[in-house]
Amino acid sequence: MMAQIASVMRLELKKTFFSRRGLWVYVLAFAPALIYLIHAVDVTRDHEHRQALAAAHPVATETLHSIKEGMTTDEVVAAAGEPYAVKTFPGGRRRAGGFRDLAIYQYTDGDSDFALVLVEGKVERINEQDRCNLKKDSAIFATVFQFFYLRLAVFFGCVGIFMNLFRGEMLDKSLHFYLLAPMRREVLLAGKYLAGLVAAATIFVTGTALQLAALSWHFEPGAVSEYLRGPGWGQIAAYLGVTVLACIGYGSIFLLAGLVFRNPIIPAAGVLLWESINLFLPASLKKISIIFYLQALCPVVASPDRGLSLLQRLLISSAEPPQAWVAMLGLMVVTLAVLVFAGRRARRLEINYGTE
Amino acid sequence: MNTTVTFDNVSRFYGEVLGVNRVTLSIPPGITSLVGPNGSGKTTLMNMMAGLVRPTRGEVRVLGISPNEPQRLCHMIGYATQFDSFPRGLTGQEFIYSFLRLFGYSHDRCVKQAETAIARVRMTGAAARKIAGYSKGMRQRIKLALAIAHDPRVLILDEPLNGLDPLVRNETIALFREMAHEGRHVIVSSHVLHEVDQISDQVILLSNGYVVAEGQIHDVRGEIKDHPMQVWIRCAQPSVLASKLFEMDHVVEARLAQDGAGVLVKTRDADRFYRTLNDLAVNGIELEGVTPLDDNVNSVYEYLIGGESR
C-alpha cells in the first residue's frame, strides 16, 4: 500500500509542481515576498537619504524630542538649527476669523523624520515618522499573514492545487488510468492528498519564509540577532507551522470539493464566505472552520477591529481562542473527518467524462 | 475457479437516459465482440466490467470478482478505453512504467514489463518520445500496451483497431488471437463488422441498451428464422440442382443465375440443407463451390438491428 501511495505521489507531484495551469499558485505564494522586498529596498534607500540629510543638518534626537507645541519658529531654530526642508503655505490654514500662514519644518536625526507644523509662527503639531522597527513590522506581518496570506493566498492556492487532483483529471479525461490500477480508492485519495499537501506546503512555506526574510532584510544584523534570540525563532517556526496546517486543513476541504463539485468557484466562494464571517459567528460555529484554529496558533495577535465600522464591531462575536494543542487537535479532527467523507465519495466515483 | 465474465440482469441508467437494460450474459474465454451502433451500450458494458461505472441494478462479476474490489479485479483485467487522452508530459515508456508502479511492483519489474508490453505492440522505437507527439495509431497501441503490461486474464478493448494502418491492424488482430489461444478473454467493441467477423469467436449484438443476440455468428444466424439463409452454389447443372432443391420443404427459393453458372438458394434450415447438398453431391450432382452469402455479422446485424453500421 505504501508503495502504491508513493507511486501516486510521484505522478501527482510532477504534475502539480510543473503544471502550466498552476503558475498562478506560485504568483499567489511569492507575490507578498516580492512586496516585502520592494518595501525593504524602499526603507533602505529612505534610511540612507535620512542619514545624508542628518549629516548635512545634524541634530540630536533628544533635541527634537524637546520641541513642544506652542514654541515659536525662532525658538525651534535656536534649539534644533535650520531644518533640512521648509515648506510654506501662505494663508494655508483656515481658522475662525480668516486664513493663517502655514509652514512645515522638517528635521531628521538620521532614523526618524520630524515634521513640525507651524501656524502663524507657532508649533501647532509634531508628526514623528519612526524608522521601521522589527516590533512594528512583525505586527504588520501578523495582520498581512492572517488576513491576506492565510485567508486568500493559501486558501486559493489550495483551491488550485487540491481541486485539480480529481477534477482536473476528469477534465483531462485521464482519471480512469488511476481507477484501473489495483488499489483501493482510499489509497488513491491518500496518495493524491499527500502529493497535494507536499506541493502546497513546499510552495507556501517557502513563500512564508521568503516573506520573513524580506521583512528582516533591511534591519541591522544586530537588531535581527536580538529578535532571533528573543521571540524570533519561535515566531518563525509558528508561522511556518501554521502555513503547513493551513495547507492540511484547506487541502482536505478542496480535495473533497473536487470530488463533489464540477465548478470550483461554488465551493471556493462558499468556504471563503464561511471563513470570512467567522468573526461574526457564535462561538460554537466558529469552531467549524479552519481559520479559527489557525489564528489561535499565530504567534502575534492581529486585531481586525481597526478597519471595521462601529456596527461591525458590535457584531463581532468573541470566543476564547483555544490552546495551541487544542487548536492543532481540532484542525486535525476537522481534516480527518473531511478526508473520511472524501474517501467514501471516492469509493463511489465513476468515470463519466461526457457530463464533465 | 470461475472463468467467465457474467452480467446478471444488469441495468444502468444515466439519470433518465438508458445505458443498458436487463443484460444477462456469460462471456467465456476467447475473442468476444460487442457490436452495436453508437449509444447501444457497448462502452457502458465495458466500463461496468472494469468498475469505472456501477450498475443501477443487477450484478457484474469478472472471473468471480466484483468490480467493487478494484484491488483484486484490476490485477485480472486490462482495459484500453476509447478515451484518447493521457497524463501530460510523459513518454510512452514513462506512461507504462508509471502506471505499472501503481500495481505495487518493483522498479526493475516495472521496467521489464513496460519494455515487454511496448515491444508486443511494436512501439519500442517510439517509447522514448512524448505521447503528445504520437499519431492516433501510436496512441492506440500505447493504450493497448498499458492494458496488457500486467499480463491480465481479461482484456477489454474499446474500438482497439481505430486509427491503425492495415499492417498494424493485422499484427494487432494476431496479438488478440494469441492472447485468446492462451485462454484469456479478449472482449472487443467494434463498429467495423468485417473485422468482427474476422476475429471473433462469439459476438454480442446490442441495440438501444438491449442485448439483441449473443453467441457464435453461425448459431445466431441460424436463429433468425424471418430471413432464410442465402447460399450461392456454383455447379455445372444448375437447373437439375434447382429442381432437386425445390423438393425440399425448407428451401423457399432457388433462383438460376442469368449466366447459368449456378443457383442462389434460400433455406430456412441451413443444417438440413447442407446435409442434403452432400447427398446430392454423392449422387452425381457436380458442385464447384458453395458460398453462404449472409452467414456473417454484417447480415446478422442488418437483420436484427436493421441497417449497416459502417
Side-chain angles (χ1 to χ4, degrees):
Chain A
M1 190 176 81
M2 296 312 289
Q4 289 181 315
I5 289 177
S7 302
V8 174
M9 286 181 71
R10 249 194 308 273
L11 274 164
E12 291 297 321
L13 281 173
K14 190 176 174 188
K15 207 173 59 187
T16 307
F17 274 122
F18 303 109
S19 156
R20 236 178 277 168
R21 280 191 299 197
L23 279 179
W24 61 272
V25 175
Y26 287 95
V27 174
L28 271 181
F30 299 125
L34 186 67
I35 293 168
Y36 281 119
L37 191 67
I38 292 167
H39 167 72
V41 170
D42 183 53
V43 168
T44 305
R45 288 178 60 185
D46 188 47
H47 182 59
E48 286 167 2
H49 180 60
R50 284 182 192 179
Q51 291 282 326
L53 290 171
H57 303 269
V59 57
T61 310
E62 297 74 29
T63 307
L64 290 169
H65 280 144
S66 70
I67 296 171
K68 304 291 177 209
E69 288 171 9
M71 287 173 74
T72 63
T73 309
D74 291 341
E75 287 170 334
V76 168
V77 173
E82 288 297 326
Y84 71 80
V86 177
K87 291 172 188 162
T88 56
F89 305 92
R93 176 59 52 96
R94 190 176 182 177
R95 284 280 184 275
F99 290 90
R100 308 287 168 85
D101 289 343
L102 177 76
I104 297 174
Y105 279 37
Q106 287 182 279
Y107 291 92
T108 180
D109 59 358
D111 283 333
S112 301
D113 198 72
F114 291 75
L116 311 181
V117 180
L118 294 118
V119 177
E120 293 289 332
K122 284 190 174 174
V123 177
E124 189 180 88
R125 203 172 68 244
I126 303 167
N127 294 332
E128 181 182 349
Q129 192 187 1
D130 288 341
R131 188 191 171 194
C132 294
N133 59 58
L134 266 168
K135 192 180 171 194
K136 203 166 88 175
D137 275 14
S138 65
I140 293 169
F141 179 82
T143 307
V144 172
F145 182 78
Q146 291 176 42
F147 291 96
F148 167 73
Y149 203 63
L150 286 182
R151 282 173 190 252
L152 296 175
V154 178
F155 180 92
F156 281 108
C158 287
V159 171
I161 291 172
F162 287 90
M163 283 204 72
N164 217 27
L165 293 173
F166 279 96
R167 187 56 47 197
E169 299 235 34
M170 284 279 202
L171 294 174
D172 286 348
K173 298 185 178 176
S174 58
L175 185 61
H176 62 278
F177 291 119
Y178 282 108
L179 302 191
L180 291 171
M183 61 181 160
R184 294 170 67 92
R185 298 281 172 86
E186 291 87 345
V187 173
L188 173 63
L189 184 104
K192 279 184 172 272
Y193 175 70
L194 289 174
L197 184 58
V198 168
T202 304
I203 293 169
F204 286 102
V205 164
T206 306
T208 304
L210 287 176
Q211 285 172 59
L212 288 164
L215 187 78
S216 56
W217 180 62
H218 62 89
F219 290 107
E220 306 290 338
V224 175
S225 299
E226 193 183 331
Y227 168 71
L228 292 176
R229 277 198 302 275
W233 285 119
Q235 288 189 359
I236 290 169
Y239 280 123
L240 299 181
V242 168
T243 307
V244 173
L245 288 172
C247 296
I248 289 173
Y250 288 131
S252 66
I253 288 174
F254 293 117
L255 181 77
L256 172 65
L259 282 163
V260 177
F261 294 94
R262 286 185 193 148
N263 185 348
I265 302 298
I266 297 166
V271 178
L272 184 63
L273 181 70
W274 179 257
E275 295 283 276
S276 302
I277 61 169
N278 184 265
L279 274 174
F280 309 103
L281 292 175
S284 56
L285 288 179
K286 275 180 190 290
K287 290 169 189 165
I288 314 171
S289 75
I290 302 295
I291 198 73
F292 176 72
Y293 299 108
L294 295 178
Q295 283 188 319
L297 290 165
C298 284
V300 177
V301 177
S303 168
D305 298 14
R306 263 175 279 168
L308 299 179
S309 68
L310 181 64
L311 179 65
Q312 285 172 318
R313 265 180 258 172
L314 286 173
L315 290 173
I316 286 177
S317 148
S318 61
E320 192 62 32
Q323 287 182 299
W325 71 270
V326 176
M328 277 196 269
L329 188 69
L331 194 75
M332 290 303 167
V333 168
V334 170
T335 301
L336 202 63
V338 173
L339 287 178
V340 167
F341 187 62
R344 293 175 68 172
R345 289 290 303 200
R347 209 184 279 184
R348 295 204 302 270
L349 187 66
E350 292 190 339
I351 294 296
N352 193 6
Y353 297 142
T355 60
E356 296 304 319
Chain B
M1 187 182 169
N2 197 324
T3 58
T4 55
V5 176
T6 57
F7 286 78
D8 183 12
N9 201 26
V10 169
S11 299
R12 168 69 201 203
F13 293 87
Y14 298 98
E16 297 289 308
V17 180
L18 170 69
V20 293
N21 199 12
R22 297 175 188 281
V23 171
T24 297
L25 286 171
S26 179
I27 305 173
I31 302 179
T32 302
S33 293
L34 301 179
V35 183
N38 285 338
S40 60
K42 303 186 296 291
T43 299
T44 299
L45 282 186
M46 292 185 148
N47 283 346
M48 283 197 288
M49 284 181 230
L52 298 184
V53 167
R54 285 183 171 67
T56 312
R57 276 199 302 269
E59 188 184 52
V60 181
R61 293 252 162 198
V62 178
L63 312 184
I65 302 168
S66 163
N68 291 328
E69 296 178 84
Q71 63 275 28
R72 288 180 64 207
L73 177 82
C74 294
H75 280 294
M76 297 290 176
I77 64 158
Y79 184 14
T81 65
Q82 62 173 325
F83 309 117
D84 191 21
S85 50
F86 297 85
R88 291 159 193 252
L90 298 181
T91 65
Q93 201 278 339
E94 287 168 346
F95 171 60
I96 308 290
Y97 170 85
S98 302
F99 283 94
L100 276 175
R101 287 305 298 260
L102 297 180
F103 283 67
Y105 300 157
S106 67
H107 166 79
D108 290 344
R109 184 175 173 186
C110 291
V111 169
K112 196 176 166 199
Q113 288 192 207
E115 278 175 6
T116 307
I118 288 168
R120 281 192 93 174
V121 298
R122 307 261 194 272
M123 284 284 289
T124 305
R129 281 168 47 196
K130 298 263 187 205
I131 295 175
Y134 282 3
S135 67
K136 165 84 177 168
M138 291 163 92
R139 294 198 299 272
Q140 283 285 69
R141 280 189 282 163
I142 207 72
K143 276 197 291 186
L144 181 60
L146 181 65
I148 63 174
H150 58 287
D151 200 22
R153 292 189 52 213
V154 178
L155 199 56
I156 307 167
L157 309 162
D158 201 349
E159 305 278 357
L161 302 174
N162 269 5
L164 301 184
D165 63 52
L167 181 66
V168 176
R169 192 176 281 239
N170 289 338
E171 287 173 356
T172 308
I173 289 171
L175 177 63
F176 296 164
R177 289 212 175 102
E178 189 185 322
M179 298 194 86
H181 284 147
E182 289 166 4
R184 300 173 208 265
H185 291 72
V186 181
I187 301 169
V188 181
S189 78
S190 181
H191 280 103
V192 186
L193 298 179
H194 76 267
E195 273 171 4
V196 171
D197 240 355
Q198 203 184 338
I199 66 175
S200 309
D201 297 320
Q202 55 261 328
V203 293
I204 295 166
L205 288 165
L206 292 155
S207 178
N208 295 319
Y210 289 88
V211 173
V212 180
E214 60 158 312
Q216 293 185 353
I217 287 291
H218 179 71
D219 296 341
V220 174
R221 177 66 189 90
E223 291 298 316
I224 306 173
K225 305 293 184 195
D226 296 349
H227 294 270
M229 184 94 81
Q230 297 179 46
V231 183
W232 166 243
I233 305 168
R234 288 177 64 83
C235 62
Q237 306 154 281
S239 52
V240 176
L241 177 63
S243 64
K244 296 275 185 194
L245 292 174
F246 264 128
E247 292 169 9
M248 300 172 194
D249 58 353
H250 53 84
V251 172
V252 294
E253 187 178 330
R255 195 190 307 159
L256 292 172
Q258 283 183 343
D259 61 0
V263 190
L264 175 69
V265 183
K266 289 188 178 177
T267 171
R268 290 192 189 285
D269 189 336
D271 291 338
R272 278 177 64 200
F273 170 76
Y274 286 120
R275 278 200 300 272
T276 311
L277 202 60
N278 284 344
D279 293 342
L280 290 173
V282 170
N283 293 324
I285 301 282
E286 195 177 327
L287 305 178
E288 294 169 7
V290 179
T291 312
L293 294 183
D294 59 355
D295 190 7
N296 55 34
V297 176
N298 205 27
S299 305
V300 168
Y301 190 93
E302 194 174 337
Y303 296 151
L304 290 176
I305 298 174
E308 178 94 15
S309 174
R310 193 188 290 175

